[in-house]
Amino acid sequence: MMERVKRNLKRTRCFHSINLLDSSLKYANENDLSYLAFLDHLLSRECSYRDQTAIDRNLKKSNLPFLKTFDDFDYSYQHAVSKRQVAEWKTFDWLDKRENKIFMGPPGVGKTHLAVALGYVAIQKGYQVKFYTMNDLVDEMLLASYDEKYKEWLKRTAKHDLIIIDEIGYLPVKAAVASLFFQLINELYELRSVVITSNKLVQEWGSAFGDNVITSAILDRLLHHAQAVIIEGDSYRLKGKINEKSVSV
Ligand code: ADP
Ligand code: MG
């Protein structure tokens, strides 16, 4: 019977249950579980293994560059983001409402850290996330448009629940790229959430996109439902080094 049960678990694609069956039977015996409780125990284990596999797959596909979490974030180093604020972000109400977040500030203040930490928690909650640096995004958009596959690429990209774009504004982009970027933001508008990091305030994005008309069209859509977070202060990378340096000079 055992062999037949395992074969049928395979046929019904309950692959985890094949391995879990022995230990679940043992648990049922030891705890005197009813038939229903045993079934519930085994199916719950199957489902939680499936959820974890999906999370691992989404994490791999998300392209997050490294793992940074809110637990590693030193809230005392800056005053723009509080623990309470992060607790609110982690409810993902904003994502369900298709709102955006824009982290702005000088280098090293934790913009990418926060964006990655948000992406990581979103994946744990079952959302599909895609991380791009602006450079990689530009390459991917151009490649798709050269192959005349930009519309397809847009549709594929818009399947993610959250798109993170890191480092807008570091390098100026050409007019053709600005137009592709506008099409992306337009496609995502009120459909998906976008998290952006930038070393420039949005008022200065005109210089990055080289065209004020297209920049206002981009900002119009991005900012309509968005929270802008301006982080000020010294680079965390220099924490503890500024004083050491002045002593050694
Ligand atoms: P930015 O994107 O603003 O240039 P990063 O997020 O890349 O800065 O931060 C630079 C480094 O400093 C990273 O290793 C990051 O984890 C760390 N860091 C920045 N701010 C904090 C903070 N408040 N708490 C802990 N680590 C931080
Ligand atoms: Mg950064």
Side-chain angles (χ1 to χ4, degrees):
M1 192 191 294
M2 195 62 156
E3 281 313 304
R4 189 168 62 239
V5 169
K6 287 193 174 172
R7 243 189 347 264
N8 285 340
L9 282 172
K10 194 171 172 191
R11 275 186 69 187
T12 49
R13 309 184 70 74
C14 294
F15 297 117
H16 299 295
S17 297
I18 300 172
N19 297 326
L20 298 170
L21 185 60
D22 291 339
S23 60
S24 282
L25 280 169
K26 186 162 179 270
Y27 180 82
N29 274 330
E30 284 168 2
N31 294 280
D32 230 356
L33 295 193
S34 66
Y35 300 125
L36 189 61
F38 164 72
L39 192 59
D40 178 47
H41 176 73
L42 185 63
L43 285 179
S44 303
R45 290 179 82 192
E46 171 76 34
C47 289
S48 68
Y49 270 86
R50 283 189 192 190
D51 290 346
Q52 194 53 51
T53 313
I55 288 169
D56 293 345
R57 197 173 45 237
N58 285 342
L59 188 58
K60 253 191 211 144
K61 285 195 326 200
S62 69
N63 220 16
L64 286 181
F66 36 66
L67 184 57
K68 294 278 175 184
T69 67
F70 289 117
D71 293 337
D72 323 320
F73 195 71
D74 177 357
Y75 292 89
S76 65
Y77 198 71
Q78 47 73 55
H79 301 290
V81 180
S82 65
K83 262 192 180 167
R84 184 195 296 186
Q85 170 94 102
V86 166
E88 205 180 300
W89 291 350
K90 282 164 134 183
T91 65
F92 290 99
D93 273 356
W94 58 279
L95 197 145
D96 296 330
K97 289 194 236 150
R98 319 296 190 228
E99 290 172 5
N100 304 325
K101 299 217 174 292
I102 306 179
F103 297 119
M104 290 168 278
V109 292
K111 304 180 297 294
T112 304
H113 186 133
L114 289 170
V116 169
L118 260 185
Y120 184 69
V121 183
I123 293 168
Q124 303 300 316
K125 295 232 169 175
Y127 294 104
Q128 305 236 17
V129 175
K130 189 78 176 182
F131 179 98
Y132 286 106
T133 63
M134 185 61 177
N135 272 355
D136 290 346
L137 180 70
V138 167
D139 288 349
E140 219 176 287
M141 288 192 302
L142 282 174
L143 206 66
S145 78
Y146 290 149
D147 290 345
E148 297 185 354
K149 291 197 170 129
Y150 193 58
K151 289 256 149 21
E152 272 170 49
W153 181 85
L154 278 180
K155 290 224 156 56
R156 222 172 35 246
T157 305
K159 284 195 177 137
H160 299 94
D161 301 296
L162 172 64
I163 289 103
I164 302 174
I165 307 171
D166 194 29
E167 298 185 350
I168 285 193
Y170 274 85
L171 298 170
V173 295
K174 300 211 168 89
V177 170
S179 150
L180 292 173
F181 188 71
F182 166 72
Q183 289 178 59
L184 171 65
I185 297 304
N186 196 36
E187 181 84 17
L188 301 176
Y189 175 60
E190 294 190 334
L191 178 73
R192 300 298 178 204
S193 287
V194 187
V195 166
I196 284 179
T197 79
S198 179
N199 64 331
K200 291 194 164 65
L201 297 177
V202 285
Q203 300 88 304
E204 301 158 350
W205 283 14
S207 60
F209 289 107
D211 176 334
N212 284 334
V213 177
I214 211 147
T215 307
S216 16
I218 291 170
L219 287 179
D220 190 50
R221 281 152 186 80
L222 266 182
L223 297 178
H224 186 192
H225 313 286
Q227 181 188 16
V229 182
I230 300 174
I231 311 174
E232 286 162 338
D234 295 326
S235 168
Y236 196 84
R237 294 185 184 104
L238 302 177
K239 190 183 174 198
K241 293 192 183 143
I242 297 172
N243 285 343
E244 285 164 27
K245 206 171 169 191
S246 56
V247 169
S248 63
V249 163

